[in-house]
Amino acid sequence: MSPKTLYDKIWDAHVVSQDEDGTCLLYIDRHLVHEVTSPQAFEGLRMAGRTVRAPEKTIAVPDHNVPTTAGREDPKNMTEDSAIQVAALDKNARDFGINYYPVSDIRQGIVHIVGPEQGWTLPGMTVVCGDSHTATHGAFGALAHGIGTSEVEHVLATQTLIQKKSKNMKVEITGKLRAGVTAKDITLAVIGATGTAGGTGYVIEYCGEAIRDLSMEGRMTVCNMAIEGGARAGLIAPDEKTFEYVTGRPHAPKGAQFEAALSWWKTLFTDEGAHFDKVVTLKGEEIEPVVTWGTSPEDVLPISALVPAPEDFRGGKVEAAKRALAYMDLTPGQKLTDIAIDTVFIGSCTNGRIEDLRAAADIVKGKKIKVKRAMVVPGSGLVRAQAEEEGLADIFRDAGFEWRLAGCSMCLAMNPDQLSEGERCASTSNRNFEGRQGYKGRTHLVSPAMAAAAALTGHLTDVRELMTEDA
Amino acid sequence: MDKFEKLTGIAAPMPLVNIDTDMIIPKVFLKTIKRSGLGVNLFDEMRYDRQGNEIPDFVLNQPQYREAEILVAGDNFGCGSSREHAPWALKDFGIKSVISTSFADIFYNNCFKNGILPIVLPQEAVDVLMKDAEKGSNARMIVDLEHQTVSSSEGETFSFEVDPFKKHCLLEGLDDIGLSLEKAPAIDSYEQKMAQARPWV
Ligand code: SF4
């Protein structure tokens, strides 16, 4: 048999049928659902008199719209249209008998944090969700990607997707990361190197020593932003860390089934000599803490750099850079570390896990914020509870941070957490598009440690400076 | 779904690269449980000021492009979120085809599910069509899905690639859930096999 990549193996294990032109019906093991991209799909099912084929493999949780402040179980504390969407999800989950975590449940949180936390996401699975950051689940060696609402309806009705295979791309991060450099810096640095369309048509496998060294949380951060590089999905071969993470989770297999699963999971790696259509290699030692200066995630620079000029770019990017600089109100040649920050947001499916909160709390401990507003929004109720138990919540509160309930929050500002016009935010989320965090709001994407550093100094800051002070 | 007929229409130029789904339909308009009615909010933050007045410079506000049915756009159109609200908004406005050098994957798929044809062409071809689109409403482009060609108002013709299955569904206006449900026996037997091989799933 010819050598296969990890992606090839998972793909082959899920093909239900294949047409002559290569179009496949691919079986879906886990379907995650949230309130924003699903109402029209359920409505479509009802109108066609169809039902959910595998409700036991379908998991729903409201996250995008829900407020992150107390009293949110009461629909009166939501805008009317948000309340309608959440109520629609409640009803659809009940009517079709799918697994559901309502806002009142401590397990509620961002769909991409809840899935792994509850053991729904396991190695070798196909996982889809009507949300582009489904790539997150690739950290487990699962083939996970976002789909549109029509496809949500298709999966609900058939538990399959019509797919053509993507090409294989390898992103290797060799060596060790330096202190102060995190998974977020890796994933941003990769997008900076390849561009937001660099992965289009590919499924990325991340590998190399620096990836192996990451915790599961860090690997989720890396895979989360595969979509920002244009890839359909990003994945990482499962290893002992993966198996340990899933062991004992509520929906992970137990006993003999676990042993059977484990022996299959251990075959999930790229064979020696398997073919990749594209290879990108970065040296771990050369990655610095990075920030974005513009309005595309590819607008990445090391924190030590200067704001670029439009002339530094070519083609259509010249106009885009001009527009981005005007939008972000930056001047070419300005030091990135001179950019003053109004607001700090720590959270999202990129960086709302316990390890992210620990990294930020490490920097914040015993200090006070200098920004107008700083908030921590844990990725799930369980992350929140754990952070409280570990004393992280107190560290944040004492420093002047708001300590919120779980949800997407200011990652996309569909709930009341929004930037005002011109407000500038250091954010641990994944998109710095115009208006993403609020109309005319300005976003700089950073790691949790870098966000914490900016909160303490009031401007974009190289977190390593704060770390040496402490040492 | 409507069939995609041969299209002769006005094309609007949008040379900006990386036009993302937040630009196409800002999230405030995602709080709907319907598919229709999003056209008025297409490109909302570029199209209207905060008071809701049209921004005259924006291409779709210019008289010659109000009836546009085709967009010619910069690289990586539709990047960002999976929101199908983006093609819903384009469709509701009346856009039936988008031409660019590249599209984001999920957006590209979503277009086909809604009767919109996204066309990938090399930079040189997009440059020619962009110039043509800049001529305004007298210049009508022709998109011929059957023969997989786009022609400028001057008659320069470019061929494009499209997946045969997607083309078939678009030309016939087929509902692919219906098509997949015809394969239910194959899905049943896959599930039976997996109940043995991977019972933990
Ligand atoms: S946290 Fe942000 S990126 Fe993640 S699912 Fe929510 S809105 Fe999407």
Side-chain angles (χ1 to χ4, degrees), chain A residues 129-448:
Chain A
C129 174
D131 187 281
S132 53
H133 292 97
T134 311
T136 312
H137 308 265
F140 291 80
L143 175 59
H145 58 86
I147 54 177
T149 298
S150 296
E151 289 175 315
V152 169
E153 189 178 334
H154 191 282
V155 178
L156 289 172
T158 68
Q159 205 57 29
T160 65
L161 260 190
I162 300 170
Q163 289 278 294
K164 263 206 172 153
K165 203 172 167 201
S166 305
K167 287 179 283 184
N168 278 291
M169 175 167 170
K170 171 158 101 171
V171 173
E172 185 175 16
I173 316 293
T174 60
K176 299 259 179 224
L177 297 181
R178 288 185 299 177
V181 181
T182 66
K184 183 66 166 287
D185 301 295
I186 294 183
T187 203
L188 282 169
V190 171
I191 298 159
T194 59
T196 46
T200 305
Y202 295 93
V203 164
I204 296 177
E205 179 175 347
Y206 297 95
C207 60
E209 187 183 351
I211 298 290
R212 286 277 140 243
D213 282 352
L214 292 174
S215 64
M216 287 314 295
E217 284 87 351
R219 293 178 191 183
M220 286 188 250
T221 302
V222 170
C223 290
N224 174 274
M225 291 191 73
I227 182 73
E228 260 61 62
R232 167 160 300 178
L235 37 74
I236 295 174
D239 61 10
E240 290 306 322
K241 280 184 199 167
T242 322
F243 309 142
E244 192 182 318
Y245 182 98
V246 302
T247 303
R249 303 248 160 207
H251 296 279
K254 312 264 159 27
Q257 287 221 348
F258 183 84
E259 294 308 318
L262 191 63
S263 61
W264 186 58
W265 295 343
K266 287 187 172 167
T267 67
L268 298 174
F269 54 83
T270 291
D271 296 331
E272 192 75 29
H275 175 72
F276 284 96
D277 304 278
K278 186 170 177 177
V279 177
V280 173
T281 307
L282 297 186
K283 291 200 175 91
E285 302 83 16
E286 289 179 1
I287 300 174
E288 280 195 64
V290 292
V291 306
T292 61
W293 56 270
T295 52
S296 162
E298 71 190 6
D299 299 339
V300 175
L301 283 172
I303 181 69
S304 54
L306 308 177
V307 173
E311 305 81 66
D312 300 342
F313 300 94
R314 290 172 44 208
K317 191 71 193 173
V318 178
E319 271 311 304
K322 267 190 211 155
R323 187 183 166 96
L325 288 171
Y327 183 88
M328 295 297 289
D329 190 28
L330 296 176
T331 317
Q334 189 180 358
K335 277 177 154 171
L336 288 171
T337 47
D338 283 346
I339 297 173
I341 295 296
D342 305 306
T343 294
V344 167
F345 170 68
I346 297 177
S348 87
C349 60
T350 318
N351 284 129
R353 285 170 284 269
I354 189 69
E355 185 188 81
D356 302 312
L357 305 194
R358 287 183 194 136
D362 255 0
I363 304 295
V364 167
K365 193 166 189 177
K367 309 219 172 82
K368 295 270 184 246
I369 61 166
K370 278 208 188 125
V371 287
K372 288 189 205 113
R373 163 161 76 142
M375 59 168 93
V376 182
V377 183
S380 72
L382 291 176
V383 169
R384 187 171 193 271
Q386 188 175 349
E388 287 182 344
E389 202 181 294
E390 292 181 16
L392 308 182
D394 290 333
I395 295 178
F396 287 120
R397 281 198 206 100
D398 292 348
F401 278 84
E402 298 169 29
W403 179 246
R404 298 294 195 100
L405 298 171
C408 293
S409 182
M410 207 190 265
C411 174
L412 94 164
M414 270 187 86
N415 78 346
D417 308 340
Q418 306 191 0
L419 296 180
S420 55
E421 257 185 83
E423 196 174 341
R424 191 184 293 282
C425 179
S427 175
T428 66
S429 55
N430 44 47
R431 286 193 177 135
N432 51 352
F433 297 157
E434 290 181 18
R436 171 79 178 180
Q437 295 192 288
Y439 182 76
K440 298 256 151 100
R442 300 180 176 127
T443 303
H444 296 278
L445 301 177
V446 289
S447 74

Side-chain angles (χ1 to χ4, degrees), chain A residues 13 27 150 164 412 435-436, chain B residues 27 31 84 163 180 190-191:
Chain A
Y27 194 79
S150 296
K164 263 206 172 153
L412 94 164
R436 171 79 178 180
Chain B
K27 71 223 149 216
K31 293 188 184 186
E84 201 159 315
D163 179 84
S180 295
Y190 178 89
E191 280 181 342

Side-chain angles (χ1 to χ4, degrees), chain B residues 11-23:
Chain B
M14 292 195 77
L16 196 65
V17 299
N18 296 332
I19 293 180
D20 58 66
T21 51
D22 284 67
M23 289 183 187

Side-chain angles (χ1 to χ4, degrees), chain A residues 98-141:
Chain A
I98 62 190
N99 301 288
Y100 186 50
Y101 303 102
V103 276
S104 55
D105 191 315
I106 191 174
R107 297 167 297 176
Q108 179 272 345
I110 303 168
V111 64
H112 307 308
I113 293 193
V114 173
E117 206 168 64
Q118 293 301 317
W120 291 112
T121 308
L122 298 170
M125 283 185 161
T126 46
V127 181
V128 297
C129 174
D131 187 281
S132 53
H133 292 97
T134 311
T136 312
H137 308 265
F140 291 80

